[in-house]
Amino acid sequence: MNPFAKPYHINFSRADLGTSPPAIALLSGEPERSARIARDYLQNSRQLSDYRGLNSYIGYLDSTPILVATSGMGAPSLSIAVNELVQVGIEKIVRIGTCGSIQARVRVGDVVISTGALCRQGAANDIAPVEYPAVADPFLTVALAGAARDLGIEYHLGITASVDTFYEGQERTESSANPHLPRWLQGITEEYRRLNILNYEMEAGTLLKMAGVYSFTAACICGVVARRTENEAIEVEKKGEAIERAIEVALHAIRTLSAREIGNT
Ligand SMILES: O=P(O)(O)O[C@H]1O[C@H](CO)[C@@H](O)[C@H]1O
Ligand SMILES: O=c1cc[nH]c(=O)[nH]1
């Protein structure tokens, strides 16, 4: 690919990443989270672009170049951002997200590290058959779990349910404008709970399927901001801490990987 070509949505080129370009990207749904990671956790960071809220930054974790990018909410938007990140040379993606717990033992403020995802996402079906597994990279995932352990942060390793909607798809009716849930979604949270699924979010499944198809590596860590075994609410006052933990775990994990493992050799 022409190193000066700027994929339309991320709006920066491989050449914009300099002479030692990052191989790893931290990907958040929320643009403010991306800005914060770049500003508060990386050194010498600078903004690369800010088109349609898909803001991106480059910075350094010690001497490792890191890209920070935004997926937006949901799989269609994520699929665009991820496709274009791969076009500019990204080889590893760690999603740093938020989620709702569907197991009583997974509490608000904890982090969930996805080993794989139940992928109930339309966008993913354009990329691979529905049966195609959505699995996280084992090495990145073990690095995340080890980092959480090192930092003494409560973490849970297991399967995530990635769905297309925050309200109907996650069985929210009381906080939704739509009180009518299709019959096939009624009781879905309890069914997933019994299947030992840990959490709900909206991007990991498609990211992990894309990783398999495109041959990059990916993992996902989410801070828990809702406890769906109790109610539908986002615990906004605890969100900052949950996200901070997820970011700290992700950065510590990257520190434990060698330059060869990250791809910067
Ligand atoms: O906090 P982010 O990364 O956006 O992740 C979660 O939050 C959004 C819903 O509030 C969805 O994108 C969901 O996956
Ligand atoms: O409950 C939640 C919280 C964050 N993100 C989701 O998709 N669901």
Side-chain angles (χ1 to χ4, degrees):
M1 186 180 172
N2 172 357
F4 296 98
K6 295 186 182 198
Y8 176 53
H9 303 89
I10 62 170
N11 198 32
F12 62 86
S13 68
R14 199 183 275 244
D16 291 328
L17 299 176
T19 49
S20 63
I24 189 161
L26 302 177
L27 187 64
S28 295
E30 191 177 48
E32 295 78 9
R33 189 177 315 142
S34 300
R36 178 138 184 268
I37 295 170
R39 188 189 63 224
D40 295 349
Y41 293 88
L42 299 183
Q43 295 105 45
N44 297 322
S45 64
R46 66 183 165 83
Q47 186 156 10
L48 292 163
S49 67
D50 183 15
Y51 179 57
R52 292 179 184 249
L54 300 179
N55 48 346
S56 301
Y57 304 82
I58 184 172
Y60 294 84
L61 185 66
D62 309 325
S63 58
T64 305
I66 306 275
L67 189 85
V68 183
T70 308
S71 65
M73 281 189 283
S77 181
L78 169 125
S79 74
I80 295 170
V82 168
N83 187 307
E84 295 183 358
L85 290 174
V86 172
Q87 290 184 44
V88 297
I90 291 300
E91 297 167 5
K92 285 190 164 43
I93 297 179
V94 178
R95 163 163 156 73
I96 301 178
T98 61
C99 67
S101 155
I102 60 175
Q103 299 288 341
R105 69 180 187 279
V106 179
R107 298 198 175 81
V108 171
D110 295 355
V111 297
V112 173
I113 299 164
S114 308
T115 52
L118 175 153
C119 186
R120 216 177 75 217
Q121 307 207 283
N125 298 340
D126 286 356
I127 293 157
V130 70
E131 303 85 355
Y132 192 93
V135 282
D137 178 68
F139 302 101
L140 272 180
T141 303
V142 166
L144 288 169
R149 204 176 311 125
D150 285 352
L151 297 175
I153 289 173
E154 198 67 38
Y155 73 98
H156 308 267
L157 202 54
I159 297 168
T160 290
S162 299
V163 302
D164 278 339
T165 49
F166 180 81
Y167 289 99
E168 288 83 352
Q170 298 181 23
E171 216 183 343
R172 283 186 166 91
T173 49
E174 290 159 18
S175 57
S176 170
N178 177 15
H180 305 294
L181 209 55
R183 230 171 310 176
W184 73 276
L185 286 173
Q186 293 175 20
I188 196 97
T189 308
E190 175 58 15
E191 188 167 325
Y192 286 175
R193 193 188 65 72
R194 287 172 195 233
L195 292 172
N196 216 10
I197 290 171
L198 300 181
N199 60 331
Y200 273 132
E201 58 79 78
M202 296 174 60
E203 291 85 15
T206 298
L207 169 66
L208 300 180
K209 284 192 170 184
M210 291 179 82
V213 173
Y214 292 35
S215 293
F216 64 90
T217 55
C220 176
I221 179 165
C222 286
V224 179
V225 297
R227 200 171 188 198
R228 298 303 316 286
T229 47
E230 301 291 319
N231 57 44
E232 297 185 0
I234 300 293
E235 299 194 24
V236 180
E237 70 288 354
K238 296 187 185 154
K239 182 181 163 189
E241 193 179 2
I243 290 170
E244 203 165 296
R245 287 176 175 165
I247 296 169
E248 279 169 5
V249 170
L251 294 179
H252 189 70
I254 291 170
R255 281 199 172 97
T256 65
L257 297 170
S258 67
R260 188 178 55 79
E261 286 168 313
I262 292 174
N264 284 109
T265 46

